[in-house]
Amino acid sequence: MSLFYSRFSLRVYITCMFATLIILLGGVLIYAQHRHNSAFVLANSEHRLDSLASRLSQQLEQSLHNINTGLTLMRANDVTLATSEQTPARWWPLLHPLLDANPGVTAFYVGEPDGRTLAFSMIRDPQTRAAFTAPTGADLMMEIIAPDSTARRFYFDRHYRLVDEVEFYAESFDSRTRPWFAPTLTQPDLHITPPYYFHFSQVPGITLSLGDASRQRVWAADLLLSDLDAQLKQALPQAHTLLLQAPAFQVLASSLPESASADLMPAFDELEGFGILSTQPDLASWKVELNGDVWLGQQIPLTLDTGSKSSLDLRLSTLIPYRKLMAQALGFGRSQAWLTLLIVVLSLPVVIMASRAITRPLRQMAEDMKGIQEFDFDGLKERHYFYRELDAQARAITLMHRTLAGFIQELHRLSQSDDFNSMLQRLSQGIQHLSGGQRCLVYRATQQDKTHCLELLDKAQQHRIPLPDKVEPDELSMLILQALKGRGLHFEPPWLLYDRFGKLNGAIVLGLRYGTASLSAGKRRFITHYSEFANLALEDMALFEQQQQMTESMIRVIASAIDAKSPYTSGHCQRVPELTLMLARAAHHSEHGDYADFRLSEQEWEALYLASWLHDCGKVVTPEHVIDKATKLETIYNRLHEIRMRFEVLKRDADILYWQEIANGGNENLLARQREQQHRQLDDDFAFIAHLNQGGETVSEAQLERLNHIAERRWLRTLDNTLGLSWEELQRRGDSESLPAWEPLLADKPWHRLPYPAKERIDHDNPWGITLKQPELKLDLGERYNLAIARGTLTPEERYTINAHMVHTLIMLSELHYPEHLSEVPMLAAGHHERMDGQGYPRSLKAGDLPLQARMMALADVFEALTAADRPYKKAKSLSETLTIMAAMVKKQHLDPGLFRFFVEQELYLQYGTRFLAPEQLDSVNKQRILELMS
């Protein structure tokens, strides 16, 4: 009973004591505040108006001073149109800081004696960018405006590099007619115009200008006043506040709702309550009745030191409802009374809360444990209590919370890692964080030249620990600690990582500061479990690298097989990737010029590597007899031998006819001369056919006529030409002819024409976007048709077959399923025969549709083909000859001009030549002459 009484008495005592004190204190405060409230409110209103006036004065004075300094610098440095037309970026280092330091300035400009204007401005926001149609990357803008003439606009980035240049039509704008031009020339210092609407933007502002009367030139800057509206609204939200310019009382800024738009400033004579200023412009305060309410008016002049003979007579005028002004005092008193009452009411539970004080820590710890049980780690706070036992328990709960929260956070970060190195780095940081260590080292087991070692996974520092062939875990731990001795840290025994087959994957070593206690058994067990993620990452890394190496090996095998397929292109598929990657690396590391921003990610490097090695994989399906066709009649073999036998038959026929006529009593001398003439004619005709077969010269009309005349000669066949054939060839030839049969010496048979099978046809609406026109026939083996080839040894069908290796490359690579970062491999690999003007193949893509990597491969392919020494149909070109030919190809829009210029200027041709070309090909190159040839 006494315990209950004691508790009750203390609670009543505390409640009464605090209630009495708060009531007395609140009464005194309410009385004092009520007595002085009216004077305070009025003084506060005046003070706020004075502060606003002072702030506006300082802002305008600072802006005018900064602009005056900028204009003085422009005049001193002679910033004129004449010095800017030749080098548009010349004045940006001077003017860019001036524009940056004066956000209210829309532009710095120069008015020339002939009425032209040179303007400098910044693109500060998306609205300005859209208004001036500025390109992406443009931050600065320069305009040259001439009266009644097309204006020019230059866009620059923040590094003053020219981004774009355009011409546009502007309204007639003559600087000599502007309100700031003529008055400025009549005074030696800064001139300030009255506020007016700017010509192009039609927003209000003032213009500050400096002139040079001797040269009739003016330097000026436009200053916006629209940002003052927001300050007026924010400073006195209940009042109607105006910034006026006397003596005309033009409105410069207003807090009225209708002045939200800077270009719709209200007229002074339309504003109620301010009309008294028209007759009494220097009135400091007044009262006016509006809509039945009394309003208090105040006016304060703005002190503004412009530093020039020009001046601005500015006034800050305000109207505020008198009732609302006084209502603040009454409201303040009421709020004090309610606050006092609220404090009294809230003080009553103090005694009850004191009785519960001892149970609050236990209740809080129970809630914290419940949060941990539900894996909610967001609401726990670090708690401290007066009682030692409770404080120790709270620290233990906090440590448990941080450990589990850190573990889950690290798991989340690991799941977001996009590569193994990043994942292992996060694992290292997680172990270091969770254990409180100074450094966590992750080693990976590797093998180099049959030597096993542990390699530190750290890009900034390399460290290898050689390992014996067979070593026990304890010995391995000692070996690792011995290798790390003397590195300024105390290292814990390492965690050894083994895969599922018992093979060593790596090791994790944790370094602590000297003097720090070793990890507890619990923390070591925790890190042991946590390090299993590193074990999985190391194992997956090894598997991924093995898979990647296998893929690269298969690609190299394919490329080698393509080169081995034809002895005339041996090494092409291996040299083109070398030159392509060489060019890409040079552009990637370029810090100046067109490719300063060109950078390839690791995924893009992998895509380029695969594409360059597979760029000619379509040649796998190109017949060797087409790739290696050295003569016109060559297929699997040179069919000239068949024609030679026919000539031999005709010569034997001439001999037989000779002896037959002798037997019939003919004139032996006459017959001998005839036989000799026939032999000579046949020998000469065959020599002509053999020469024509070589394809070294362009075939003339006379040669075609002779070819047709020889082809019409007949020979007698007595054997069935369908015997011993395959079923496919027999089906193509059809039934045999009756024997004996007279045949032309050179035949174009129907079965010489091989059409495309339906499955090999490529329609115009094919899914790959291939535009390379496919001929009607797959192959035309006609003897007369092939010998009539105008130039070279290939028929149009065979030339398409050669070019179609790009078609097959695109189709073959498009059928593969790629990871997302390798999705452009088909485009890159199949794009190196495209031209910049869209006349290439297989898809007629223009330069803008081709990635830069594909254009690099096109250049590398041409350079390698011209310098290769293993082609039967041409001699290997020297460096100067090759670059001359390529310059002509650039001029014809075959190759990328910028890339070729970079290739020549960086002398990449010489780097390639020293590795792959014969010494006699490495002649001197006149780079300037080569670059002139391409333009």
Side-chain angles (χ1 to χ4, degrees):
M1 186 68 180
S2 61
L3 180 61
F4 175 79
Y5 176 78
S6 177
R7 290 179 61 195
F8 176 80
S9 299
L10 181 61
R11 185 182 308 168
V12 172
Y13 173 76
I14 293 175
T15 302
C16 294
M17 181 184 63
F18 276 96
T20 303
L21 290 175
I22 293 173
I23 289 173
L24 290 175
L25 180 61
V28 173
L29 291 175
I30 291 172
Y31 175 77
Q33 291 295 334
H34 178 72
R35 185 172 180 177
H36 301 287
N37 186 62
S38 298
F40 172 77
V41 171
L42 290 175
N44 182 59
S45 177
E46 293 178 358
H47 176 72
R48 292 172 68 185
L49 193 63
D50 287 338
S51 298
L52 178 60
S54 176
R55 189 163 63 250
L56 292 177
S57 298
Q58 292 177 4
Q59 178 181 344
L60 287 173
E61 185 175 339
Q62 182 179 5
S63 297
L64 297 181
H65 178 74
N66 290 342
I67 296 172
N68 187 17
T69 302
L71 295 176
T72 303
L73 289 173
M74 292 178 67
R75 183 175 64 179
N77 286 274
D78 198 22
V79 179
T80 64
L81 184 58
T83 59
S84 302
E85 284 188 306
Q86 296 300 325
T87 55
R90 175 180 180 180
W91 296 113
W92 279 121
L94 171 67
L95 294 175
H96 183 197
L98 297 178
L99 287 168
D100 208 15
N102 296 279
V105 173
T106 60
F108 282 97
Y109 46 89
V110 183
E112 296 289 342
D114 57 359
R116 293 186 298 165
T117 304
L118 172 65
F120 301 86
S121 58
M122 287 185 66
I123 303 173
R124 304 180 187 272
D125 49 59
Q127 292 78 14
T128 305
R129 185 177 298 278
F132 291 96
T133 61
T136 302
D139 299 295
L140 305 171
M141 183 172 63
M142 186 182 80
E143 294 178 315
I144 300 176
I145 306 172
D148 301 320
S149 178
T150 302
R152 298 170 62 194
R153 183 177 294 148
F154 303 84
Y155 298 99
F156 302 86
D157 61 14
R158 282 194 169 271
H159 303 288
Y160 315 135
R161 293 176 298 202
L162 184 62
V163 176
D164 196 5
E165 175 184 350
V166 298
E167 292 188 356
F168 65 96
Y169 177 77
E171 297 180 36
S172 179
F173 184 87
D174 192 330
S175 60
R176 296 169 296 186
T177 64
R178 304 307 298 157
W180 45 265
F181 191 92
T184 305
L185 297 176
T186 62
Q187 62 183 54
D189 56 352
L190 183 70
H191 175 263
I192 305 175
T193 67
Y196 69 102
Y197 285 88
F198 295 151
H199 180 78
F200 290 109
S201 62
Q202 290 301 304
V203 295
I206 60 175
T207 298
L208 291 81
S209 54
L210 284 174
D212 187 344
S214 62
R215 293 188 294 174
Q216 293 294 300
R217 181 174 287 115
V218 176
W219 294 267
D222 288 340
L223 176 64
L224 291 176
L225 301 175
S226 58
D227 59 336
L228 301 179
D229 289 359
Q231 297 188 36
L232 298 182
K233 291 183 176 66
Q234 184 178 3
L236 300 171
Q238 294 182 347
H240 293 173
T241 309
L242 302 177
L243 180 62
L244 305 172
Q245 182 186 18
F249 285 98
Q250 183 175 358
V251 180
L252 302 183
S254 169
S255 67
L256 299 178
E258 59 267 25
S259 67
S261 176
D263 58 353
L264 296 175
M265 199 62 67
F268 178 78
D269 55 1
E270 297 175 359
L271 300 175
E272 295 182 335
F274 295 93
I276 191 172
L277 297 179
S278 300
T279 57
Q280 303 180 54
D282 298 325
L283 191 63
S285 64
W286 69 95
K287 288 185 180 180
V288 65
E289 184 174 349
L290 298 176
N291 299 325
D293 292 331
V294 177
W295 291 63
L296 177 63
Q298 294 175 318
Q299 181 181 229
I300 297 177
L302 266 68
T303 303
L304 195 64
D305 182 14
T306 63
S308 67
K309 295 181 179 179
S310 301
S311 63
L312 291 176
D313 186 3
L314 302 181
R315 313 287 180 86
L316 190 64
S317 302
T318 181
L319 278 178
I320 187 168
Y322 190 81
R323 186 172 58 183
K324 289 185 178 180
L325 195 63
M326 292 299 101
Q328 292 182 356
L330 297 176
F332 187 80
R334 285 194 298 270
S335 64
Q336 289 292 327
W338 282 107
L339 179 60
T340 302
L341 180 61
L342 179 62
I343 292 175
V344 171
V345 173
L346 292 178
S347 65
L348 295 177
V350 170
V351 175
I352 301 174
M353 294 173 61
S355 66
R356 297 178 180 177
I358 194 64
T359 62
R360 185 184 301 111
L362 297 176
R363 193 166 58 250
Q364 290 174 344
M365 284 188 287
E367 292 175 356
D368 293 341
M369 291 299 296
K370 184 178 179 181
I372 293 175
Q373 182 181 1
E374 296 179 355
F375 293 94
D376 181 9
F377 303 105
D378 296 331
L380 184 69
K381 299 179 181 179
E382 186 174 357
R383 305 184 190 278
H384 298 281
Y385 298 109
F386 177 77
Y387 303 105
R388 182 183 302 171
E389 294 80 4
L390 294 178
D391 193 60
Q393 184 70 15
R395 288 200 303 270
I397 293 175
T398 301
L399 180 60
M400 182 189 305
H401 166 270
R402 288 180 175 176
T403 302
L404 292 176
F407 181 72
I408 291 178
Q409 185 179 15
E410 292 303 324
L411 289 181
H412 175 71
R413 290 178 178 175
L414 291 177
S415 66
Q416 302 299 316
S417 297
D418 56 356
D419 61 79
F420 295 116
N421 286 321
S422 175
M423 182 178 182
L424 290 168
Q425 183 179 5
R426 289 187 181 276
L427 277 164
S428 173
Q429 294 172 353
I431 293 175
Q432 181 178 333
H433 172 72
L434 294 174
S435 63
Q438 185 70 16
R439 183 95 187 271
C440 182
L441 307 176
V442 179
Y443 285 87
R444 178 190 178 192
T446 60
Q447 181 178 354
Q448 295 181 354
D449 300 330
K450 298 183 180 181
T451 301
H452 297 275
C453 66
L454 286 174
E455 182 177 357
L456 178 63
L457 293 178
D458 190 337
K459 295 181 180 179
Q461 181 181 3
Q462 294 184 354
H463 185 232
R464 288 185 176 86
I465 303 176
L467 301 178
D469 292 338
K470 293 182 179 181
V471 60
E472 295 298 325
D474 293 339
E475 297 176 358
L476 179 57
S477 298
M478 294 299 297
L479 183 63
I480 295 174
L481 293 177
Q482 185 68 27
L484 294 174
K485 184 176 294 185
R487 291 183 174 265
L489 293 174
H490 162 64
F491 288 96
E492 286 282 310
W495 286 265
L496 303 179
L497 307 175
Y498 293 91
D499 63 12
R500 67 200 70 184
F501 305 107
K503 180 182 177 182
L504 181 66
N505 270 339
I508 295 178
V509 188
L510 182 63
L512 306 176
R513 287 192 180 94
Y514 281 111
T516 305
S518 298
L519 295 182
S520 64
K523 281 193 175 182
R524 284 197 63 85
R525 283 195 299 270
F526 181 77
I527 295 176
T528 299
H529 295 305
Y530 191 72
S531 62
E532 289 301 322
F533 289 101
N535 198 9
L536 291 174
L538 290 171
E539 187 173 355
D540 289 344
M541 180 187 293
L543 293 175
F544 178 79
E545 290 180 351
Q546 291 172 7
Q547 184 179 18
Q548 193 173 35
Q549 290 171 1
M550 184 181 69
T551 302
E552 293 179 0
S553 299
M554 292 178 63
I555 290 172
R556 289 176 178 269
V557 167
I558 293 173
S560 299
I562 295 171
D563 285 341
K565 184 178 179 182
S566 171
Y568 304 135
T569 58
S570 176
H572 173 78
C573 290
Q574 301 177 41
R575 291 191 293 266
V576 169
E578 291 286 347
L579 183 54
T580 302
L581 295 174
M582 184 185 299
L583 183 54
R585 280 191 291 269
H588 178 83
H589 295 294
S590 176
E591 297 181 356
H592 307 285
D594 296 339
Y595 305 108
D597 298 329
F598 175 75
R599 296 294 182 269
L600 292 179
S601 64
E602 291 185 9
Q603 291 82 1
E604 289 172 326
W605 277 115
E606 183 180 359
L608 179 60
Y609 177 84
L610 295 179
S612 60
W613 275 94
L614 293 172
H615 77 284
D616 272 348
C617 67
K619 286 184 178 179
V620 170
V621 299
T622 305
E624 291 90 336
H625 70 271
V626 176
I627 297 177
D628 302 340
K629 188 179 182 184
T631 61
K632 297 181 179 180
L633 291 174
E634 186 173 341
T635 53
I636 304 299
Y637 68 101
N638 193 340
R639 294 180 293 154
L640 181 67
H641 304 306
E642 294 184 14
I643 296 174
R644 178 185 291 106
M645 289 305 300
R646 297 173 197 165
F647 275 88
E648 292 287 357
V649 169
L650 290 178
K651 291 180 71 173
R652 299 301 182 274
D653 288 346
D655 289 339
I656 293 171
L657 180 60
Y658 167 77
W659 290 112
Q660 286 177 344
E661 291 297 327
I662 290 293
N664 292 332
N667 187 324
E668 182 177 355
N669 293 331
L670 177 61
L671 292 173
R673 286 195 301 271
Q674 290 176 351
R675 182 184 67 171
E676 186 64 24
Q677 182 180 1
Q678 289 181 5
H679 281 193
R680 283 197 303 270
Q681 184 63 44
L682 288 171
D683 290 343
D684 186 57
D685 288 346
F686 178 74
F688 169 74
I689 296 297
H691 177 74
L692 207 60
N693 184 45
Q694 292 177 331
E697 300 176 359
T698 302
V699 179
S700 64
E701 290 295 330
Q703 289 175 316
L704 284 177
E705 184 177 352
R706 182 178 179 184
L707 171 66
N708 293 330
H709 176 73
I710 296 172
E712 294 300 328
R713 190 161 185 171
R714 300 285 175 169
W715 68 284
L716 184 64
R717 177 174 58 84
T718 60
L719 297 176
D720 189 348
N721 60 2
T722 62
L723 297 178
L725 304 181
S726 66
W727 68 269
E728 183 181 9
E729 188 177 1
L730 188 61
Q731 184 180 23
R732 194 167 66 243
R733 290 203 179 196
D735 298 334
S736 61
E737 301 173 355
S738 58
L739 298 174
W742 287 96
E743 293 194 349
L745 188 59
L746 301 175
D748 283 351
K749 298 288 188 178
W751 45 267
H752 283 146
R753 299 167 58 86
L754 279 67
Y756 274 97
K759 63 180 181 181
E760 296 183 20
R761 271 286 170 192
I762 299 178
D763 300 324
H764 67 280
D765 57 347
N766 61 87
W768 307 283
I770 296 170
T771 59
L772 183 63
K773 187 176 181 180
Q774 192 177 51
E776 179 183 356
L777 298 177
K778 182 176 183 180
L779 203 60
D780 191 331
L781 301 176
E783 296 166 345
R784 185 191 302 187
Y785 178 77
N786 277 263
L787 288 170
I789 294 172
R791 188 173 184 179
T793 63
L794 297 177
T795 64
E797 292 80 9
E798 290 166 338
R799 191 164 298 279
Y800 171 82
T801 300
I802 294 291
N803 293 341
H805 78 279
M806 280 294 89
V807 173
H808 297 302
T809 296
L810 179 60
I811 294 175
M812 290 165 61
L813 295 182
S814 298
E815 293 297 322
L816 298 178
H817 296 282
Y818 300 92
E820 184 177 353
H821 69 280
L822 298 179
S823 58
E824 287 198 354
V825 167
M827 157 77 84
L828 298 178
H832 64 279
H833 281 287
E834 301 287 358
R835 289 175 37 165
M836 302 305 101
D837 58 0
Q839 300 300 312
Y841 62 90
R843 295 194 290 179
S844 303
L845 298 178
K846 292 186 177 181
D849 300 323
L850 282 172
L852 183 60
Q853 299 93 305
R855 286 175 268 159
M856 289 178 177
M857 203 180 306
L859 188 147
D861 189 75
V862 172
F863 185 84
E864 193 285 330
L866 291 173
T867 57
D870 50 12
R871 307 297 169 89
Y873 46 83
K874 72 172 188 65
K875 181 182 177 182
K877 305 292 184 183
S878 65
L879 289 179
S880 59
E881 292 173 328
T882 300
L883 294 177
T884 301
I885 295 172
M886 293 179 70
M889 295 177 70
V890 170
K891 189 172 184 179
K892 296 177 181 178
Q893 301 188 59
H894 287 222
L895 300 174
D896 187 305
L899 203 56
F900 179 72
R901 178 180 296 275
F902 181 78
F903 181 75
V904 174
E905 290 176 345
Q906 298 296 317
E907 296 186 351
L908 298 177
Y909 58 86
L910 190 58
Q911 296 181 30
Y912 175 86
T914 55
R915 290 181 56 189
F916 296 103
L917 302 185
E920 57 270 15
Q921 292 179 262
L922 304 179
D923 60 346
S924 176
V925 174
N926 187 335
K927 295 193 293 184
Q928 185 62 34
R929 188 183 69 84
I930 294 295
L931 295 178
E932 290 174 356
L933 291 175
M934 62 176 276
S935 59

